[in-house]
Amino acid sequence: MADRNTLRTSAGAPWPNNQDSLSAGERGPLLLQDYQLIEKLAHQNRERIPERTVHAKGWGAHGKLVITEDISRYTKAKCLMKGAETPMLARFSTVAGEQGAADHERDVRGFALKFYTEDGNWDMVGNNTPVFFVRDPYKFPDFIHTQKRHPKTNMRSPTAMFDFWSLSPESLHQVTILMSDRGLPQSPMQMNGYGSHTFSLWNDAGERYWVKFHFKTEQGHAFYTNDEAEKIIGKTREGYQERLFNAIEDGQYPRWKFQIQVMPELDADKTDFNPFDLTKVWPHDQFPVIDVGYFQLNRNADNYFAEIENAAFSPSNVVPGISWSPDKMLQARVFSYADAHRYRLGTHYETIPVNRPRVEVHNYHKDGEMNVYGGVRTGNENAYYEPNSFAEEGAAVEDRSAQEPPLRISGNADRYDHRIYDDYTQVRALVMKVMDEPQRQRLYKNMGGAMAGIPAPIAERWFGHLKQVHPDYEAGVRAAWNEANATAAYMPNSHPVTDDTPQLTSGDAADGSAQAAE
Ligand code: NDP
């Protein structure tokens, strides 16, 4: 038999028997020297790596980014030049559910893209929504705690969610989108992606432009109601995986239009909203979308774990011509995502094949667990520190042409109160202008239903915010909440009631008239 078919230990020795353990007698006990058995069991124990704290359940595929328009006036990025074609990987995900969670759950979807450019990897780690729940990273771990399980009941808690949201009105915009049709897309193909944050582009002349990235589905938007999704989940928990995987296997390659909104650097002081606030969009009439190209997914992973689970997307990955902005959430994610992968996959996670850049990497990082570079990474074995005298003999040297222009931002270092911003106007535009009446009615029903069983004082605090968006919004959700409280056979709440918990009485539930505790 050819070598490649011989079963071998990890150390390469032929494996004589993979059926019968080595025992002292026919009926046992086993011998410690049955190393193959020990190794097999030990490997099984180590098959799982930590799942992502958020975005644990995901679906992905390989594809290509194609640039069809000339945007060289804004950027020098080679992968954004007209005609450029760049291999890429996409991973979509839900935020809150664990790895085994059902796909068709109402949740924001992650929309993470990795472009293997000739200048290194550019990662766009966005969502299917143009905004986010919070705008200051201090709030991020607390927000996620409300989405995950209650520490005592080990169940999801709508009380925690609406308590946090009602105390954090910057979340109104995102919660509104979450409870709208777009909060439950039929498949990953039928939703948009947004970079969400403000990023920047910079050109050969060293000029910086603020930019928003948009990826618009060419398959069209399609959504499910909660009732429809419940039926699907009853049949399959893997609905997104099935649809994405099968579409690509069938040669129906999904495509997204790639567009940007652009703002000259110094215009950031002229807008009537903070353009670096992640809870806001840039209105289309002030900042029209510009076509750039498209991306298409056309190849499934050969191995899900190796290519999708091991994929490590981080907004820290930018390439010359593309950069960040002062957006505080983005600044925190630049640290936090790379750090999550160091914890989840190991220090050298970017040497895992799916994360490995197309270019050969030279740098002076040294040693460490699972360092499998194979040789000296600096280009010269004597150059294991920097500066050194071996540049002529191949040692890696810095490239100042990759230096981005200075950020022209000034101010006093301080802890600025982010509660000064208007959290209502853009939500009003979405609910009262963009949505039609049937969409509004579904929004009210979804939100009222999600609030079923939460304590009245928390609900009242939330209604107070909805009223500031528009009285119809408040009235519609209140009516849906009352109906849900009166009719829900099962209250999905799981917050243990303590002496400190605002109490829900049957009267409160029936007429929703309880006053906010504050
Ligand atoms: P526009 O009328 O020009 O834009 C409205 C946009 O809303 C559409 O282009 C579409 O974005 C998006 N949209 C349509 N239906 C829904 C829905 N059910 N849920 C969420 N988004 C939807 O107005 P403005 O640019 O002034 O924005 C008004 C509001 O629209 C904003 O406050 C924001 O809530 C929402 N919005 C705006 C976006 C932007 O970048 N300006 C992007 C997405 C939403 P798309 O073309 O991206 O599909």
Side-chain angles (χ1 to χ4, degrees), residues 130 173 182 192 194 214 216 281-284 426 430 433-434:
H173 202 175
R182 291 197 181 187
N192 286 349
Y194 301 88
H214 301 253
K216 304 278 179 65
V281 298
W282 292 2
H284 286 138
Q426 291 201 353
L430 175 62
K433 189 187 85 173
V434 176

Side-chain angles (χ1 to χ4, degrees), residues 7 146 194 326 347 376 397 467 477:
L7 188 63
T146 71
Y194 301 88
T347 311
V376 177
V397 292
K467 197 168 191 173
V477 177

Side-chain angles (χ1 to χ4, degrees), residues 42 45 54 87 104 131 153 174 197 227 252 285 385 456 463 497 512:
N45 287 339
V54 281
H104 280 102
V131 295
T153 67
Q174 179 78 318
H197 298 284
D227 291 343
Q252 292 164 7
D285 58 354
Y385 52 87
F463 290 143
V497 175

Side-chain angles (χ1 to χ4, degrees), residues 433-509:
K433 189 187 85 173
V434 176
M435 291 184 193
D436 59 22
E437 191 54 28
Q439 287 178 318
R440 270 194 291 274
Q441 291 302 327
R442 288 194 291 270
L443 164 69
Y444 302 160
K445 189 174 175 212
N446 291 335
M447 191 178 288
M451 295 170 70
I454 71 171
I458 291 175
E460 288 301 328
R461 195 195 291 136
W462 184 244
F463 290 143
H465 295 305
L466 301 186
K467 197 168 191 173
Q468 291 195 61
V469 175
H470 198 279
D472 289 357
Y473 194 8
E474 188 252 358
V477 177
R478 182 186 289 279
W481 182 61
N482 284 337
E483 192 185 329
N485 281 338
T487 58
Y490 164 68
M491 292 284 187
N493 207 356
S494 45
H495 211 92
V497 175
T498 68
D499 289 346
D500 300 331
T501 307
Q503 299 296 305
L504 172 71
T505 68
S506 56
D508 295 336

Side-chain angles (χ1 to χ4, degrees), residues 149-182:
R149 293 169 188 273
H150 187 284
K152 179 166 181 174
T153 67
N154 197 32
M155 290 185 268
R156 308 276 293 278
S157 170
T159 293
M161 295 178 203
F162 279 94
D163 191 28
F164 179 88
W165 287 336
S166 63
L167 291 166
S168 314
E170 69 268 32
S171 65
L172 259 176
H173 202 175
Q174 179 78 318
V175 176
T176 299
I177 296 175
L178 171 64
M179 299 298 170
S180 81
D181 293 347
R182 291 197 181 187

Side-chain angles (χ1 to χ4, degrees), residues 199-461:
F199 290 86
S200 58
L201 295 177
W202 52 279
N203 62 20
D204 272 325
E207 296 158 334
R208 185 190 298 275
Y209 295 84
W210 306 119
V211 64
K212 290 277 194 191
F213 294 109
H214 301 253
F215 302 91
K216 304 278 179 65
T217 173
E218 293 190 13
Q219 290 66 241
H221 289 275
F223 67 93
Y224 284 129
T225 63
N226 288 350
D227 291 343
E228 289 168 335
E230 271 178 30
K231 290 196 184 93
I232 291 171
I233 292 172
K235 289 184 181 148
T236 175
R237 300 173 64 78
E238 320 300 336
Y240 273 37
Q241 178 70 16
E242 288 163 9
R243 291 180 196 199
L244 178 64
F245 185 85
N246 289 335
I248 293 174
E249 288 299 291
D250 291 347
Q252 292 164 7
Y253 302 141
R255 264 177 51 149
W256 284 260
K257 205 185 285 181
F258 177 22
Q259 298 175 320
I260 54 173
Q261 289 174 290
V262 179
M263 185 189 298
E265 183 175 16
L266 296 182
D267 285 7
D269 292 335
K270 299 176 188 160
T271 54
D272 57 4
F273 61 96
N274 173 4
F276 309 118
D277 175 353
L278 182 56
T279 66
K280 303 290 180 295
V281 298
W282 292 2
H284 286 138
D285 58 354
Q286 294 173 48
F287 302 96
V289 286
I290 299 167
D291 286 334
V292 178
Y294 68 89
F295 81 80
Q296 180 177 53
L297 300 181
N298 52 23
R299 181 166 61 87
N300 280 316
D302 290 328
N303 182 286
Y304 180 88
F305 179 81
E307 295 163 55
I308 308 299
E309 184 60 18
N310 266 349
F313 302 87
S314 172
S316 51
N317 288 344
V318 292
V319 294
I322 305 173
S323 186
W324 309 292
S325 81
D327 177 337
K328 294 173 189 176
M329 281 293 290
L330 174 59
Q331 301 262 315
R333 291 178 76 214
V334 165
F335 156 73
S336 192
Y337 279 54
D339 190 56
H341 301 311
R342 283 190 281 267
Y343 160 68
R344 195 172 67 84
L345 301 169
T347 311
H348 297 293
Y349 66 90
E350 277 164 323
T351 59
I352 296 172
V354 74
N355 300 321
R356 202 180 287 158
R358 270 163 82 190
V359 288
E360 202 176 328
V361 172
H362 296 292
N363 60 41
Y364 291 83
H365 299 323
K366 193 168 178 286
D367 303 346
E369 191 184 10
M370 299 294 287
N371 180 341
V372 289
Y373 300 146
V376 177
R377 263 202 144 188
T378 68
N380 182 311
E381 64 187 4
N382 293 318
Y384 52 94
Y385 52 87
E386 215 279 336
N388 59 59
S389 307
F390 304 103
E392 299 304 320
E393 289 114 65
V397 292
E398 64 202 17
D399 173 8
R400 292 283 170 102
S401 74
Q403 171 105 18
E404 66 178 298
L407 261 184
R408 291 191 281 180
I409 299 284
S410 63
N412 296 324
D414 206 344
R415 296 183 187 272
Y416 292 93
D417 181 3
H418 69 93
R419 299 247 167 264
I420 59 171
Y421 298 122
D422 163 20
D423 293 318
Y424 305 103
T425 303
Q426 291 201 353
V427 191
R428 190 174 308 124
L430 175 62
V431 177
M432 307 315 293
K433 189 187 85 173
V434 176
M435 291 184 193
D436 59 22
E437 191 54 28
Q439 287 178 318
R440 270 194 291 274
Q441 291 302 327
R442 288 194 291 270
L443 164 69
Y444 302 160
K445 189 174 175 212
N446 291 335
M447 191 178 288
M451 295 170 70
I454 71 171
I458 291 175
E460 288 301 328
R461 195 195 291 136

